[in-house]
C-alpha cells in the first residue's frame, strides 16, 4: 500500500484515482477548482461526448502517437462502455459513432465517477493548487499553499492550457520540465477561426453542411465535409474544428491560411449550373438574393450577392452566362482568409505537451523519475473531435491507476 498523490480531478485523474484506490493504495487528489470535473461538465455542450465506437490509433496525433496504442488496447470502446455501466451509467450512440451518457447530461458522468471514488475512500482536496513538486531520494513533496505533504508516487493529471477558465493552467508542463522532462510546445487544437472578410458578420448564426478545403501557403492540405457555422468573428462548427490542428500549427510556423468553402457539397458544379439554369423560370420579378433563397439560407444569399459583386443585377432573370459562372464559383469555391485561431482561450484541446518518448507506454511512468506518472491531456497526444480526447483521458488514467 502506497501513498499516491494525483494532481487534477479531471477526466484522467478521476479514473486514475478509482483504479489506484481499487488496488489498495491511499489516494489523495489535489484540485485547484472548488469542484471536481469542471471541464467534463462543459464537454459536448453539456452532454459529454464520452467516447466513440470507432476508437482507433489513427485518430490520435502528436510527435509519437503510437505511444497511445497500449492505453487504447487496454481500454477500448467495449471496455469503456462496460466500465461506465459498472459505475451505473448507461450510454447511447449519436452521430458518427459518438457516445453520450443516456441522460444526455455531463453531470451524470462526474456524479458517477465521484460517487465511486468517494466510496473507495479517495480523499479530494479541493481549492488546493499544487504549486511545486520536489523529489527526494524516496518521496515526492507536494507544496500546496503554506503546507507540504509527502507521497510515494505522484501522478500529473493536470490537463493542458486549453480553456483556462475551466482550470487549465499549464502547471503540468512546468512540473514536468522541473523534473527533467521535455515538453513539446503546446498549440491550440479543435478551435474556431477568426476571419477578417468584409460582410462576414452579416451571416453570423448561419449553419450549413459544407465542404471545406484548408490551404496553407496556398497549398491544399486538408479537405472535409461537415457542419460549418458562420459567426461574428469568423468560422466555427465541426468542419472547422476538424482542420484546426493543421491550421493552428501553420500559424505557429508563420504560414498563411485560407479556406475554400463549398456551400453545396452534394451537388457537382455541372449539376448546380443546370439547376440554376432551370430555376431561371422562377426568377422573374425576383431580386438575385430572393431567387438564391430558394437554395441557400437568406443571410447567405445576401452575402453571396455582395461578395460576388453582383449587386448591380437588380433582377435574377437578367443573369447572363458570365454572371451565372461567377455565381456557381462563389457557391462552390468561396475563398475566405483566416487571420488566426481563437487561441487557447477557446480551444477544446491542446496539441503538444509532455514528450511521451520519455515515458514507458505500458505504465506511463517517467523513464527519468521513478514513481512519477502522467496521464490525460498534459501529454503530447491529442485526438480528433468526437469523443476521442475524453476516451484517451479515461484510458490513460486507467492504465496509470492499474500500474501504480
Ligand atoms: C468546451 C470543451 C468541450 C469538450 N468536449 C469534449 C467532448 O465532448 N468529447 C471529448 O472527448 N473531449 C472533449 N473536450 C476535451 C476533454 O474535455 C479533455 O481532453 C479532457 O477533459 C482532458 O482530461 P484531463 O484529465 O487530462 O484534464 P482536465 O479534465 O482538464 O483536468 C485537469 C484538472 O487539473 C486541475 N489542475 C490543473 N493544475 C492544477 C494544479 N497545479 N493543482 C491542482 N489542480 C490542478 C484542473 O483544475 C482540472 O480540473 C472538450 C474540451 C472543452 C474545453
Amino acid at each position: 500500500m502506497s501513498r499516491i498523490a494525483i494532481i487534477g480531478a479531471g477526466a484522467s485523474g478521476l479514473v486514475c484515482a478509482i483504479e489506484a484506490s481499487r488496488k489498495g493504495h491511499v489516494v489523495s487528489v489535489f484540485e485547484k477548482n472548488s469542484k471536481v470535473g469542471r471541464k467534463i461538465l462543459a464537454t459536448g455542450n453539456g452532454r459529454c461526448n464520452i467516447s466513440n465506437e470507432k476508437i482507433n490509433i489513427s485518430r490520435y496525433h502528436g510527435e509519437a502517437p503510437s505511444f497511445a496504442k497500449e492505453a487504447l488496447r487496454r481500454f477500448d470502446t467495449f471496455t469503456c462502455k462496460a466500465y461506465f455501466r459498472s459505475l451505473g451509467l448507461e450510454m447511447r450512440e449519436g452521430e458518427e459513432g459518438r457516445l453520450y451518457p443516456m441522460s444526455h447530461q455531463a453531470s451524470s458522468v462526474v456524479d458517477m465517477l465521484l460517487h465511486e471514488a468517494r466510496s473507495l475512500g479517495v480523499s479530494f482536496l479541493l481549492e488546493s493548487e499544487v504549486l511545486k513538486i520536489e523529489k527526494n531520494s524516496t518521496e515526492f513533496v507536494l507544496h500546496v499553499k503554506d503546507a507540504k505533504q509527502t507521497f510515494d508516487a505522484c501522478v500529473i493529471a493536470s490537463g493542458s492550457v486549453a480553456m483556462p477558465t475551466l482550470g487549465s493552467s499549464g502547471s503540468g508542463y512546468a512540473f514536468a520540465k522541473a523534473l527533467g522532462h521535455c515538453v513539446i510546445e503546446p498549440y491550440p487544437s479543435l478551435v474556431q477561426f477568426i476571419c477578417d472578410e468584409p460582410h462576414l458578420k452579416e451571416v453570423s448564426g448561419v449553419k450549413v453542411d459544407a465542404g471545406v478545403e484548408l490551404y496553407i501557403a496556398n497549398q491544399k492540405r486538408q479537405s472535409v465535409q461537415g457542419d460549418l457555422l458562420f459567426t461574428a468573428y469568423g468560422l466555427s462548427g465541426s468542419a472547422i474544428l476538424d482542420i484546426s490542428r493543421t491550421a493552428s500549427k501553420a500559424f505557429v510556423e508563420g504560414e498563411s491560411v485560407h479556406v475554400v468553402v463549398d456551400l453545396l457539397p452534394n451537388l457537382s458544379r455541372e449539376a448546380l449550373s443546370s439547376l440554376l439554369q432551370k430555376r431561371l423560370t422562377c426568377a422573374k420579378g425576383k431580386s438575385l438574393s430572393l431567387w438564391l433563397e430558394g437554395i441557400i439560407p437568406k443571410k447567405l444569399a445576401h452575402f453571396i450577392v455582395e461578395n460576388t459583386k453582383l449587386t448591380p443585377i437588380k433582377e435574377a432573370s437578367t443573369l447572363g452566362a458570365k454572371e451565372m459562372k461567377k455565381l456557381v464559383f462563389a457557391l462552390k469555391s468561396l475563398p475566405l482568409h483566416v487571420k488566426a485561431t481563437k487561441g487557447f482561450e477557446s480551444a477544446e484541446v491542446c496539441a503538444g505537451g509532455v514528450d511521451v518518448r520519455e515515458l514507458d507506454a505500458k505504465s506511463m511512468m517517467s523513464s527519468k523519475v521513478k514513481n512519477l506518472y502522467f496521464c490525460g491531456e498534459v501529454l503530447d497526444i491529442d485526438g480528433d473531435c468526437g469523443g476521442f480526447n475524453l476516451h484517451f483521458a479515461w484510458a490513460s488514467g486507467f492504465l496509470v491507476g492499474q500500474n501504480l
Side-chain angles (χ1 to χ4, degrees), residues 32 38 48-49 66 105 123 134 137 145 178 192 219 238 271 279 286 339 346 357 365 370 395:
K32 69 199 268 267
R38 258 192 84 185
C48 187
N49 179 193
S66 62
Q105 283 189 327
S123 300
E134 282 172 335
S137 55
K145 291 176 198 148
Q192 308 83 347
Q219 299 289 315
S238 65
R279 295 191 73 256
K286 289 194 179 83
K339 201 169 128 196
S346 303
R357 291 167 292 197
M365 188 169 82
K370 197 168 175 232

Side-chain angles (χ1 to χ4, degrees), residues 52-361:
N52 196 293
E53 285 288 359
K54 297 172 192 147
I55 293 295
N56 184 294
I57 192 69
S58 67
R59 308 301 298 264
Y60 292 91
H61 318 282
E63 294 290 317
S66 62
F67 171 85
K69 263 187 191 166
E70 180 63 11
L72 301 179
R73 189 186 68 77
R74 292 277 304 275
F75 196 89
D76 58 12
T77 314
F78 182 79
T79 313
C80 181
K81 284 200 256 186
Y83 191 82
F84 280 100
R85 185 169 297 127
S86 75
L87 298 184
L89 189 96
E90 296 295 330
M91 291 192 202
R92 66 161 92 165
E93 195 179 331
E95 69 294 0
E96 293 164 10
R98 291 169 194 229
L99 293 167
Y100 296 90
M102 203 177 234
S103 64
H104 262 199
Q105 283 189 327
S107 56
S108 314
V109 181
V110 176
D111 289 348
M112 295 302 177
L113 289 166
L114 190 56
H115 174 81
E116 182 70 9
R118 285 212 168 114
S119 316
L120 288 161
V122 172
S123 300
F124 285 95
L125 297 104
L126 302 177
E127 295 180 333
S128 299
E129 180 172 11
V130 175
L131 303 170
K132 193 172 165 191
I133 307 171
E134 282 172 335
K135 173 84 204 298
N136 59 34
S137 55
T138 51
E139 291 175 328
F140 291 87
V141 183
L142 266 62
H143 296 240
V144 183
K145 291 176 198 148
D146 299 328
K148 289 183 198 174
Q149 288 189 48
T150 53
F151 295 91
D152 305 307
C154 177
V155 182
I156 299 182
S158 52
S160 66
V161 272
M163 223 172 260
T165 45
L166 299 175
S168 313
S169 63
S171 62
Y173 305 144
F175 297 145
K177 281 183 189 165
L179 291 161
H181 278 270
C182 292
V183 172
I184 311 293
E185 199 53 34
Y187 55 92
S189 184
L190 307 189
V191 63
Q192 308 83 347
F193 290 172
I194 299 175
C195 298
D196 50 5
E197 296 288 335
H199 308 298
L200 204 59
K201 273 195 182 74
E202 293 155 27
V203 265
S204 170
V206 173
K207 194 175 178 182
V208 285
D209 176 39
V212 183
E213 291 176 341
L214 174 71
Y215 286 79
I216 310 290
N218 293 321
Q219 299 289 315
K220 185 154 92 174
R221 289 286 296 277
Q222 237 176 312
S223 174
V224 294
Q225 185 176 339
D227 282 345
L228 175 72
L229 175 67
F230 292 91
T231 67
Y233 58 79
L235 302 171
S236 181
S238 65
I240 297 302
L241 299 191
D242 284 345
I243 56 175
S244 62
R245 187 183 198 278
T246 314
S248 196
K249 190 157 188 235
F251 283 122
V252 172
E253 289 163 359
E255 307 274 25
S256 69
V257 177
H258 79 272
V259 290
V260 172
V261 175
D262 181 352
L263 293 167
L264 295 161
N266 299 322
L267 277 183
S268 69
R269 220 164 268 270
E270 295 69 38
L272 176 60
S273 289
S274 80
L275 176 71
L276 291 178
Q277 282 296 341
K278 271 190 215 143
R279 295 191 73 256
L280 283 175
T281 51
C282 63
K284 190 124 189 66
K286 289 194 179 83
S287 69
L288 205 45
S289 51
L290 178 63
W291 180 66
L292 279 178
E293 255 188 68
I295 55 169
I296 54 171
K298 184 179 184 140
K299 281 185 181 178
L300 211 46
H302 277 284
F303 176 74
I304 290 291
V305 175
E306 291 284 341
N307 216 52
T308 43
K309 303 202 170 40
L310 289 172
T311 24
I313 297 178
K314 296 288 171 244
E315 215 185 278
S317 60
T318 65
L319 267 177
K322 208 167 138 201
E323 287 97 11
M324 196 65 105
K325 230 175 164 182
K326 229 174 165 184
L327 207 50
V328 171
F329 185 82
L331 290 166
K332 295 289 292 175
S333 310
L334 180 70
L336 296 170
H337 175 248
V338 183
K339 201 169 128 196
T341 72
K342 286 271 277 172
F344 291 118
E345 281 66 29
S346 303
E348 286 195 8
V349 293
C350 275
V354 174
D355 195 335
V356 293
R357 291 167 292 197
E358 296 173 343
L359 309 179
D360 168 33

Side-chain angles (χ1 to χ4, degrees), residues 360-381:
D360 168 33
K362 290 209 160 77
S363 62
M364 302 216 168
M365 188 169 82
S366 159
S367 53
K368 294 181 176 273
V369 182
K370 197 168 175 232
N371 295 330
L372 173 68
Y373 298 79
F374 295 88
C375 53
E377 212 184 297
V378 71
L379 295 170
D380 174 32
I381 297 286

